Amino acid sequence: MKKKQLFALIGAAMITFASCQNKGETKEDQSAQQHTTMAESNKVADAAHNSANALDWNGTYEGVIPCADCEGIEISLVLNNDETYLLTTKYLGKADDIFRSSGKFVWNEMGSIVTLEGVEAPNQYFVGENALFKLDKEGNRVIGDLASKYMLSKKMGDVVVQEGLLETKWKLVELAGQPLTDEKEGDIPFLMLMKEDSRLSAFAGCNNIMGAYELSEGNRITFSQMASTQKACPDMEVEKNFVKALEMADNFTLKDGTLSLNRARMAPLARFEKVEE
């Protein structure tokens, strides 16, 4: 009887020990699962709030970064809403040459770094709050005492106007996605943005249009105070849509002699080509 009782006690103890061990493993498993869930949630939160969609990143950034064989490299970088850029560089202490390049930029998967297309490396910038940080050739942030020397600060105030935009006659070639093909030479609508008093002068195909425009950071443009002559013509459809495009436009793109008026990131409202004098 004593041996049977002893075996029974040992068996009970083993069962109790195994039960406790299983409970401990379950708690560890639950803890690990919770940490995994939290990590996944953090990744989702990071993706939802990044530089690309949470910061007012479009605008002009300026600064002077270190140079191996000159006094410094003066940089001006314009990032536009349509994900195009204008880069201007000058090597201080050398010739007075100014180098300009433009094109598209792309965001990395995390939405924190932009890469300028068509520019030799290093051509990547980390996008921060009102600042860009130029990355090295490997795409890494410069750290330590030199970190602040690779920062470009966002320019507030004066707007950098793209070369060729103003004092140029722009003839209308496409309206609401439809090319203009039937207009006679003297009836082709055009647009001119004058430097003086930020005035606009336009011809809509029948009537002349006068008004004002305002430029702001990120290639934003708005037209206001518009008035026109009151001639009546057989077909006013193009004119009506042209005026509507001016009223709706809130940004523009200018590349390779083509000017587009846009609203947000939708298809262009109107396209123009530069008239060579």
Side-chain angles (χ1 to χ4, degrees):
M1 293 290 293
K2 291 183 178 179
K3 287 183 179 181
K4 290 183 178 180
Q5 291 176 345
L6 178 61
F7 288 142
L9 289 173
I10 292 173
M14 291 178 66
I15 292 171
T16 303
F17 176 77
S19 175
C20 292
Q21 191 175 35
N22 289 337
K23 288 181 179 179
E25 289 176 355
T26 302
K27 288 181 179 179
E28 290 176 1
D29 292 341
Q30 290 175 345
S31 178
Q33 187 176 2
Q34 288 174 351
H35 284 298
T36 301
T37 303
M38 290 177 64
E40 291 175 350
S41 298
N42 289 336
K43 287 182 180 179
V44 172
D46 290 341
H49 298 86
N50 54 37
S51 301
N53 58 33
L55 297 181
D56 186 17
W57 50 262
N58 58 295
T60 301
Y61 299 81
E62 297 177 340
V64 178
I65 68 172
C67 175
D69 57 354
C70 67
E71 297 174 5
I73 304 175
E74 187 177 77
I75 296 178
S76 173
L77 176 56
V78 182
L79 299 182
N80 299 314
N81 265 330
D82 61 354
E83 297 187 355
T84 60
Y85 73 86
L86 174 64
L87 175 67
T88 305
T89 56
K90 181 179 180 181
Y91 292 83
L92 303 178
K94 286 192 168 185
D96 292 333
D97 295 338
I98 296 177
F99 302 92
R100 293 184 177 89
S101 58
S102 60
K104 298 283 291 184
F105 67 84
V106 294
W107 290 92
N108 69 340
E109 187 177 350
M110 296 297 294
S112 59
I113 294 173
V114 295
T115 300
L116 309 185
E117 295 184 340
V119 181
E120 292 184 3
N123 60 355
Q124 293 183 302
Y125 295 82
F126 178 86
V127 181
E129 183 73 36
N130 295 324
L132 299 179
F133 297 88
K134 189 172 178 62
L135 307 183
D136 63 20
K137 289 184 178 181
E138 287 71 40
N140 300 317
R141 285 277 298 270
V142 177
I143 59 176
D145 296 336
L146 293 176
S148 61
K149 296 184 181 296
Y150 288 85
M151 182 180 76
L152 307 181
S153 298
K154 189 174 183 181
K155 185 178 180 181
M156 305 295 181
D158 296 337
V159 178
V160 176
V161 179
Q162 283 188 248
E163 186 176 358
L165 174 65
L166 307 182
E167 304 291 340
T168 296
K169 186 174 182 179
W170 297 100
K171 68 176 181 179
L172 184 66
V173 296
E174 182 182 293
L175 191 60
Q178 300 298 317
L180 271 69
T181 56
D182 299 331
E183 278 65 31
K184 298 178 181 179
E185 186 64 31
D187 296 335
I188 298 177
F190 68 83
L191 171 69
M192 290 188 70
L193 304 178
M194 319 303 292
K195 291 181 180 179
E196 185 176 359
D197 298 328
S198 296
R199 305 297 298 175
L200 75 86
S201 174
F203 173 66
C206 179
N207 288 284
N208 294 314
I209 300 174
M210 297 74 69
Y213 68 90
E214 181 178 354
L215 298 173
S216 54
E217 292 288 353
N219 280 14
R220 294 174 183 166
I221 189 169
T222 54
F223 299 97
S224 61
Q225 304 174 28
M226 288 190 291
S228 71
T229 54
Q230 298 297 314
K231 290 170 56 179
C233 297
D235 186 1
M236 303 286 286
E237 190 67 19
V238 170
E239 177 161 320
K240 183 178 76 172
N241 290 331
F242 181 38
V243 173
K244 184 178 179 181
L246 294 179
E247 293 173 342
M248 292 180 62
D250 61 12
N251 72 91
F252 71 91
T253 56
L254 175 57
K255 186 177 181 181
D256 299 331
T258 299
L259 170 66
S260 298
L261 296 181
N262 319 301
R263 183 169 184 83
R265 299 189 180 186
M266 298 186 294
L269 301 169
R271 292 187 193 272
F272 303 80
E273 289 182 356
K274 182 178 180 180
V275 176
E276 301 294 344
E277 300 295 340

